[in-house]
């Protein structure tokens, strides 16, 4: 079969909702796009542990501490599911980790914002995980089998993340004046970065939309962002708080909420590495990796030694 | 400020979008842990089913890591691990020759046989 025939057969499978599996033929660009996206997703889970890990030792109660530990542990697990999916596309785990640590690979910019108060833990769970879930639910139906399976597992676990975040803010919203102010402040700081998580506007696109054609993605940035705004604009009423956007308003004609313009200059600055915490996050990852080197080496040496012992016994 | 915006999706930032990109400084000289496939029985009476894969130095560590990664919510009560290099798989290119012969053998299914309604318990 010529490349052209293979491509036609490949697109035919996609159009008929047949998943692509690791050993199947796939266009090089499909492999690359998936590898880049899955690895960025994995890195986001791993770096995403940092802003929350920051609060484990300072959680206000044992209950909140246990919840936060469980959530951070989930994120480590999600990173591992996704790394495993990325590896099926032919890149080694070592290379994936290396690309994150060297700054070559990207992760979601949202994790380059600092978590300043306890209320940020609630806002991150509700807004950041809420935004991530919309994307992840869509990705459960993505065309690459290993990615879709990882996402199904992740979605099952992720919903607790958002619920605990909202519940945590709900408690603050019914607390003292100081707690209510803290709650509103966290929402103010996390709202716009959460909207930025969905990426540039559809209208800014000059590229043809290959990801949609290949069903790697099934909804555009703007569609997902609108879903998110509609969802949050209703939920915030229950908190008795407000979103920091004077242009946020129900549009009866569109049956959607209208909202203000995102600060795209800030968006690109953070993507380019100039966000509040970019350097700190990478430094933390590198430190952990370097300081763990002896553990990895020791485990390998121990396994080797035991293997040799078994061999000697058998001989 | 004139910024050229190229479209990409959440979780899909194009290569080279960073100004601070550093060249790879670390060497990939460390010996890496081998890859293992994990199979789990979710409850007594069911088969072990493929759950995913992970890296570990040896079988014991693979089982312990599988416990942490795949059973945080009581998803399993028994774990098998096998080093991925020992798994042999059929080739998708052969699937026509391999699986199609069973397609035209409808008589292997009970629904192929038309029986009168009066026949009970069959």
């Amino acid at each position: 079969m010529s490349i052209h025939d293979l491509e036609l057969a490949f697109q035919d499978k996609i159009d008929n909702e047949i998943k692509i599996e690791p050993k199947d033929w796939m266009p090089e660009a499909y492999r690359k796009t998936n590898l880049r996206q899955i690895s960025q997703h994995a890195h986001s889970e791993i770096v995403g542990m940092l802003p929350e890990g920051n609060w484990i030792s300072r959680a206000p109660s044992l209950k909140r501490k246990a919840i936060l530990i469980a959530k951070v542990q989930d994120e480590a697990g999600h990173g591992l599911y996704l790394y495993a999916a990325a590896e099926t596309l032919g890149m080694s785990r070592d290379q994936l980790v290396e690309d994150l640590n060297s700054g070559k690979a990207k992760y979601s910019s949202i994790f380059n914002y600092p978590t300043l108060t306890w209320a940020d833990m609630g806002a991150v769970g509700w807004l950041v995980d809420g935004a991530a879930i919309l994307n992840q639910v869509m990705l459960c139906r993505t065309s690459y089998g290993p990615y879709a399976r990882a996402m199904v597992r992740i979605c099952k676990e992720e919903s607790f993340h958002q619920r605990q975040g909202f519940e945590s803010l709900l408690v603050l919203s019914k607390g003292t004046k100081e707690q209510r102010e803290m709650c509103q402040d966290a929402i103010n700081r996390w709202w716009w970065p959460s909207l930025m998580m969905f990426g540039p506007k559809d209208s800014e696109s000059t590229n043809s939309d290959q990801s949609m054609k290949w069903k790697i993605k099934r909804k555009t940035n703007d569609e997902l962002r609108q879903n998110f705004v509609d969802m949050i604009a209703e939920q915030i009423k229950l908190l008795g708080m407000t979103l920091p956007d004077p242009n946020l308003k129900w549009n009866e004609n569109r049956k959607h909420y209208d909202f203000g313009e995102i600060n795209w200059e800030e968006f690109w600055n953070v993507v380019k590495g100039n966000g509040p915490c970019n350097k700190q996050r990478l430094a933390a990852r590198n430190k952990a990796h370097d300081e763990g080197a002896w553990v990895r080496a020791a485990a390998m040496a121990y396994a080797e030694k035991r293997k040799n012992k078994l061999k000697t016994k058998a001989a | 400020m004139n910024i050229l915006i190229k479209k990409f999706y959440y979780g899909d930032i194009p290569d080279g979008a960073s100004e601070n990109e550093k060249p790879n400084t670390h060497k990939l000289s460390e010996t890496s842990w081998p890859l293992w496939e994990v199979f789990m029985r979710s409850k007594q009476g069911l088969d072990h089913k493929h759950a995913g894969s992970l890296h570990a130095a040896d079988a014991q560590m693979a089982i312990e890591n599988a416990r942490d990664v795949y059973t945080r919510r009581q998803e399993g009560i028994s774990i098998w691990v096998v080093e991925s290099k020992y798994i042999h798989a059929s080739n998708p290119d052969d699937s026509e020759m391999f699986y199609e012969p069973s397609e035209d053998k409808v008589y292997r299914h009970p629904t192929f046989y038309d029986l009168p309604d009066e026949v009970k318990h069959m």
Side-chain angles (χ1 to χ4, degrees), chain B residues 33-78:
Chain B
W33 293 349
L35 188 67
W36 300 74
E37 298 302 321
V38 178
F39 300 83
M40 261 170 21
R41 186 201 294 287
S42 57
K43 63 175 192 186
Q44 279 317 92
L46 295 182
D47 291 322
H48 283 77
K49 202 179 150 204
H50 187 236
S53 32
L54 49 75
H55 289 271
D58 58 21
Q60 192 192 340
M61 187 197 269
I63 289 176
E64 284 164 7
N65 286 0
R67 191 270 317 265
D68 291 342
V69 178
Y70 293 108
T71 68
R72 288 194 302 283
R73 287 173 179 79
Q74 296 162 306
E75 292 95 335
I77 52 149
S78 166

Side-chain angles (χ1 to χ4, degrees), chain A residues 222-251:
Chain A
D222 283 344
E223 281 176 83
L224 287 168
R225 184 162 26 233
Q226 184 70 61
N227 289 352
F228 180 70
V229 172
D230 291 347
M231 183 174 90
I232 299 298
E234 288 299 317
Q235 289 171 354
I236 197 162
K237 292 176 184 169
L238 294 163
L239 292 176
M241 299 281 146
T242 55
L243 292 171
D245 180 359
N247 296 316
L248 184 83
K249 184 166 89 232
W250 177 253
N251 182 326

Side-chain angles (χ1 to χ4, degrees), chain A residues 166-181 183-184 237-241:
Chain A
F166 188 81
E167 190 234 29
S168 167
L169 290 183
L170 198 59
V171 170
L172 290 176
S173 75
K174 289 173 180 161
T176 63
K177 182 170 171 287
E178 207 183 351
Q179 286 173 320
R180 288 198 305 276
E181 281 170 5
C183 179
Q184 182 63 60
K237 292 176 184 169
L238 294 163
L239 292 176
M241 299 281 146

Side-chain angles (χ1 to χ4, degrees), chain A residues 129-143:
Chain A
D129 290 313
I133 286 171
L134 283 176
N135 189 51
Q136 287 165 347
V137 166
M138 168 191 75
L139 287 171
C140 288
R141 294 170 57 235
T142 194
S143 59

Side-chain angles (χ1 to χ4, degrees), chain B residues 69-109:
Chain B
V69 178
Y70 293 108
T71 68
R72 288 194 302 283
R73 287 173 179 79
Q74 296 162 306
E75 292 95 335
I77 52 149
S78 166
I79 295 171
W80 289 351
V81 293
V82 59
E83 245 190 279
S84 308
K85 66 179 178 191
Y86 294 121
I87 300 230
H88 299 267
S90 63
N91 188 340
D93 296 340
D94 298 338
S95 56
E96 228 169 274
M97 160 182 100
F98 221 57
Y99 303 109
E100 262 178 19
S102 65
E103 259 177 33
D104 56 1
K105 296 178 180 60
V106 280
Y107 47 84
R108 283 179 174 168
H109 297 276

Side-chain angles (χ1 to χ4, degrees), chain A residues 94 98, chain B residues 26-32:
Chain A
D94 292 341
E98 179 59 37
Chain B
H26 296 261
K27 286 277 170 295
L28 293 172
S29 55
E30 275 182 41
T31 336
S32 43

Side-chain angles (χ1 to χ4, degrees), chain A residues 15-260:
Chain A
D15 294 342
N16 286 303
E17 300 293 336
I18 296 173
K19 298 273 187 240
I20 307 302
E21 294 295 343
K23 291 180 103 185
D24 295 346
W25 186 89
M26 62 187 85
E28 196 45 35
Y30 178 84
R31 179 191 304 277
K32 270 194 176 155
T33 305
N34 261 302
L35 183 57
R36 186 177 59 210
Q37 192 177 316
I38 299 169
S39 62
Q40 282 176 11
H41 200 156
H43 299 327
S44 301
E45 297 283 353
I46 299 302
V47 177
M49 291 193 280
L50 297 171
E52 290 179 315
N54 184 35
W55 278 93
I56 289 175
S57 60
R58 293 178 286 164
S61 68
L62 194 56
K63 175 183 135 187
R64 294 291 171 193
K65 193 193 287 266
I67 292 172
L68 198 52
I69 290 172
K71 185 172 186 288
V72 170
Q73 197 187 2
D74 272 355
E75 274 143 19
H78 297 175
L80 290 176
Y81 306 156
L82 288 162
Y83 278 134
E87 283 171 77
T88 64
L89 291 164
M91 189 181 268
S92 73
R93 174 75 62 88
D94 292 341
Q95 188 63 56
L96 288 162
V97 172
E98 179 59 37
D99 284 355
L100 170 65
N101 291 354
S102 72
K104 180 170 184 249
K106 299 288 172 292
Y107 54 87
S108 180
S109 283
I110 193 78
F111 302 116
N112 289 320
Y113 288 87
T115 43
L116 302 178
T117 72
W118 168 251
D120 286 28
M121 291 301 94
V124 165
W126 177 42
L127 297 173
V128 175
D129 290 313
I133 286 171
L134 283 176
N135 189 51
Q136 287 165 347
V137 166
M138 168 191 75
L139 287 171
C140 288
R141 294 170 57 235
T142 194
S143 59
Y144 186 56
Y147 194 20
R149 289 192 286 277
M151 291 320 304
V152 169
R153 204 181 289 275
I154 288 172
C155 281
K156 272 187 202 156
E157 300 178 350
E158 190 85 27
S159 122
F160 122 71
H161 296 187
Q162 193 189 13
R163 289 174 70 99
Q164 67 83 33
F166 188 81
E167 190 234 29
S168 167
L169 290 183
L170 198 59
V171 170
L172 290 176
S173 75
K174 289 173 180 161
T176 63
K177 182 170 171 287
E178 207 183 351
Q179 286 173 320
R180 288 198 305 276
E181 281 170 5
M182 195 164 87
C183 179
Q184 182 63 60
D185 168 64
I187 293 168
N188 290 349
R189 281 182 291 106
W190 287 96
W191 173 246
W192 289 107
S194 300
L195 286 190
M196 292 177 199
M197 284 174 70
F198 296 98
K201 284 201 283 194
D202 298 344
S203 58
E204 309 287 353
S205 165
T206 48
N207 299 0
S208 72
D209 221 345
Q210 193 62 56
S211 282
M212 295 286 270
K213 201 176 150 225
W214 279 336
K215 295 187 182 165
I216 297 173
K217 294 274 180 175
R218 289 171 182 265
K219 284 181 174 183
T220 69
N221 294 355
D222 283 344
E223 281 176 83
L224 287 168
R225 184 162 26 233
Q226 184 70 61
N227 289 352
F228 180 70
V229 172
D230 291 347
M231 183 174 90
I232 299 298
E234 288 299 317
Q235 289 171 354
I236 197 162
K237 292 176 184 169
L238 294 163
L239 292 176
M241 299 281 146
T242 55
L243 292 171
D245 180 359
N247 296 316
L248 184 83
K249 184 166 89 232
W250 177 253
N251 182 326
E252 188 56 34
N253 293 329
R254 291 201 312 127
K255 300 282 179 204
H256 285 295
Y257 276 91
D258 291 336
F259 54 98

